[in-house]
Amino acid sequence: MKMKRIYAILTIVIIVLATGCGNNVSMVEKNDGETAETGNSDVADKETVAPESSSTEVKDLDSMITEKDDSELDLKAYYYSMEDRSFCNDGEDVFSSVFFESADSLGYITTGKVPIYAQNGVRIGYTNEDVDILVMGTYGDWCSFYLDQDRRYARLSDIEANSITIEERDAMAEEANKQEQDSMKTELPVENVPDEQFVQDTPVESEHVETPASDKYTPDEAIAVYRSLMESGGITWNPALKDVSSWGTGWIELQKGMPEWCAETNLESAAIGSHGGNSWTQFYFEVTGSDEDSVYITEWHN
């Protein structure tokens, strides 16, 4: 498959201040320095450790959450959710004050409504059914993920109560496919043969063929992988760039490995920077469409 990458087209920069519900607030890992003396040396060794998710810390986080009932929200329908985004920028940032541990291979498909929260800890609505959730990090019972292009938060217990895992979905699809094949064999017409000519054959078990795992991401998964790698590479998500910076259009292939390759090459381009040699450290993109092979985006950087 031919490698493809996104090229940015430089335009005249028009400085316009713009804000939006989808603004991402960077989260910084906080480490506490701890000094210990050993019996063999007078030099104090400092050990940096990641904060533990104790029940007290999780309880404190829960106390900062603002629960909004549906009757208090002006819910509007979006492709993946029902939300009232007018609450997104109210109050202080709650979730950036904690350390979310990386979550590998935690993927779900919603079967019901999952309550979702904005960066400030306000419940702003819930997901629709049949929505892919790729968990990016966990803290106690809380987790973070991207819904479309916006970072959202939810209780992992709520997700598990209203979802199935990607593995469960694949297993169900495989079982349904097997049952369909067995049903087709059962319904095959049997030719009428005179009794004296009928020979009872010994049934032969059919060889079970496992359905291979998909080698492609869904559009949501591809976008989430690409954005996560860009941010972990030091590039900050900034929707305000849409009105003040250069832009370009392109696509990210859904084949597994391609979103990773796209992020890697764009991080190299970011380090090289513009023609003046200035590295770019911020980016923003919007999805414009998708098909069975690619997801299409318009991207801004600065």
Side-chain angles (χ1 to χ4, degrees), residues 22 28 74 103-104 117-118 125 128 155 185 243 247:
V28 180
D74 181 18
D104 296 328
Y117 299 77
N128 294 327
R155 291 182 176 90
K185 292 176 182 178
D243 298 316
W247 59 275

mmCIF file of all heavy atoms in Angstrom, residues 22 28 74 103-104 117-118 125 128 155 185 243 247:
data_model
loop_
_atom_site.group_PDB
_atom_site.id
_atom_site.type_symbol
_atom_site.label_atom_id
_atom_site.label_comp_id
_atom_site.label_asym_id
_atom_site.label_seq_id
_atom_site.Cartn_x
_atom_site.Cartn_y
_atom_site.Cartn_z
ATOM 1 N N GLY A 22 -14.253 22.211 22.352
ATOM 2 C CA GLY A 22 -13.314 21.122 22.125
ATOM 3 C C GLY A 22 -11.899 21.441 22.514
ATOM 4 O O GLY A 22 -11.002 20.665 22.250
ATOM 5 N N VAL A 28 -0.392 17.431 32.891
ATOM 6 C CA VAL A 28 1.016 17.231 33.225
ATOM 7 C C VAL A 28 1.115 16.246 34.361
ATOM 8 O O VAL A 28 0.422 16.363 35.372
ATOM 9 C CB VAL A 28 1.686 18.550 33.640
ATOM 10 C CG1 VAL A 28 3.144 18.315 33.993
ATOM 11 C CG2 VAL A 28 1.547 19.568 32.538
ATOM 12 N N ASP A 74 -29.569 21.623 28.099
ATOM 13 C CA ASP A 74 -30.147 21.896 26.785
ATOM 14 C C ASP A 74 -29.458 20.966 25.788
ATOM 15 O O ASP A 74 -28.545 21.362 25.060
ATOM 16 C CB ASP A 74 -29.940 23.368 26.409
ATOM 17 C CG ASP A 74 -30.545 23.703 25.049
ATOM 18 O OD1 ASP A 74 -31.399 22.914 24.575
ATOM 19 O OD2 ASP A 74 -30.164 24.729 24.474
ATOM 20 N N ALA A 103 -3.702 3.429 29.138
ATOM 21 C CA ALA A 103 -4.536 2.228 29.044
ATOM 22 C C ALA A 103 -4.362 1.615 27.662
ATOM 23 O O ALA A 103 -4.744 2.211 26.662
ATOM 24 C CB ALA A 103 -6.001 2.579 29.290
ATOM 25 N N ASP A 104 -3.773 0.437 27.607
ATOM 26 C CA ASP A 104 -3.531 -0.229 26.328
ATOM 27 C C ASP A 104 -4.681 -1.184 26.009
ATOM 28 O O ASP A 104 -5.098 -1.980 26.852
ATOM 29 C CB ASP A 104 -2.225 -1.017 26.356
ATOM 30 C CG ASP A 104 -1.018 -0.105 26.542
ATOM 31 O OD1 ASP A 104 -1.093 1.038 26.060
ATOM 32 O OD2 ASP A 104 -0.045 -0.530 27.190
ATOM 33 N N TYR A 117 -18.506 13.635 30.713
ATOM 34 C CA TYR A 117 -18.170 14.833 31.461
ATOM 35 C C TYR A 117 -17.136 15.648 30.694
ATOM 36 O O TYR A 117 -16.292 15.098 29.976
ATOM 37 C CB TYR A 117 -17.615 14.455 32.840
ATOM 38 C CG TYR A 117 -18.600 13.694 33.692
ATOM 39 C CD1 TYR A 117 -18.845 12.348 33.454
ATOM 40 C CD2 TYR A 117 -19.293 14.319 34.715
ATOM 41 C CE1 TYR A 117 -19.768 11.635 34.222
ATOM 42 C CE2 TYR A 117 -20.214 13.620 35.489
ATOM 43 C CZ TYR A 117 -20.447 12.279 35.245
ATOM 44 O OH TYR A 117 -21.356 11.590 35.996
ATOM 45 N N ALA A 118 -17.199 16.976 30.872
ATOM 46 C CA ALA A 118 -16.240 17.885 30.245
ATOM 47 C C ALA A 118 -15.013 18.022 31.140
ATOM 48 O O ALA A 118 -14.944 17.473 32.245
ATOM 49 C CB ALA A 118 -16.883 19.251 30.006
ATOM 50 N N GLY A 125 -23.892 15.421 29.258
ATOM 51 C CA GLY A 125 -24.768 14.609 28.421
ATOM 52 C C GLY A 125 -24.368 13.153 28.463
ATOM 53 O O GLY A 125 -23.878 12.658 29.481
ATOM 54 N N ASN A 128 -24.261 8.262 22.396
ATOM 55 C CA ASN A 128 -25.284 7.483 21.709
ATOM 56 C C ASN A 128 -24.923 6.000 21.795
ATOM 57 O O ASN A 128 -23.851 5.634 22.264
ATOM 58 C CB ASN A 128 -25.373 7.912 20.246
ATOM 59 C CG ASN A 128 -25.863 9.343 20.105
ATOM 60 O OD1 ASN A 128 -26.657 9.819 20.903
ATOM 61 N ND2 ASN A 128 -25.368 10.040 19.088
ATOM 62 N N ARG A 155 -16.944 7.535 33.889
ATOM 63 C CA ARG A 155 -16.600 6.479 34.841
ATOM 64 C C ARG A 155 -16.478 5.167 34.071
ATOM 65 O O ARG A 155 -17.354 4.823 33.274
ATOM 66 C CB ARG A 155 -17.652 6.371 35.931
ATOM 67 C CG ARG A 155 -17.665 7.567 36.884
ATOM 68 C CD ARG A 155 -18.713 7.383 37.979
ATOM 69 N NE ARG A 155 -18.660 8.477 38.941
ATOM 70 C CZ ARG A 155 -19.348 9.605 38.838
ATOM 71 N NH1 ARG A 155 -20.137 9.791 37.783
ATOM 72 N NH2 ARG A 155 -19.246 10.544 39.768
ATOM 73 N N LYS A 185 -26.391 -25.041 5.815
ATOM 74 C CA LYS A 185 -26.172 -26.475 5.571
ATOM 75 C C LYS A 185 -27.428 -27.269 5.894
ATOM 76 O O LYS A 185 -27.794 -28.213 5.201
ATOM 77 C CB LYS A 185 -25.012 -26.969 6.414
ATOM 78 C CG LYS A 185 -23.662 -26.392 6.001
ATOM 79 C CD LYS A 185 -22.569 -26.856 6.933
ATOM 80 C CE LYS A 185 -21.231 -26.234 6.556
ATOM 81 N NZ LYS A 185 -20.155 -26.651 7.487
ATOM 82 N N ASP A 243 -8.464 29.761 12.869
ATOM 83 C CA ASP A 243 -8.667 31.099 12.331
ATOM 84 C C ASP A 243 -7.387 31.924 12.232
ATOM 85 O O ASP A 243 -7.435 33.076 11.799
ATOM 86 C CB ASP A 243 -9.672 31.859 13.211
ATOM 87 C CG ASP A 243 -11.027 31.190 13.212
ATOM 88 O OD1 ASP A 243 -11.480 30.790 12.127
ATOM 89 O OD2 ASP A 243 -11.615 31.059 14.286
ATOM 90 N N TRP A 247 -3.050 25.933 6.870
ATOM 91 C CA TRP A 247 -3.835 24.713 6.889
ATOM 92 C C TRP A 247 -3.497 23.856 5.677
ATOM 93 O O TRP A 247 -2.849 24.278 4.735
ATOM 94 C CB TRP A 247 -5.328 25.052 6.890
ATOM 95 C CG TRP A 247 -5.763 25.872 5.706
ATOM 96 C CD1 TRP A 247 -5.714 27.212 5.579
ATOM 97 C CD2 TRP A 247 -6.263 25.371 4.465
ATOM 98 N NE1 TRP A 247 -6.171 27.603 4.356
ATOM 99 C CE2 TRP A 247 -6.524 26.491 3.637
ATOM 100 C CE3 TRP A 247 -6.531 24.104 3.973
ATOM 101 C CZ2 TRP A 247 -7.024 26.364 2.356
ATOM 102 C CZ3 TRP A 247 -7.034 23.966 2.695
ATOM 103 C CH2 TRP A 247 -7.270 25.097 1.896
#
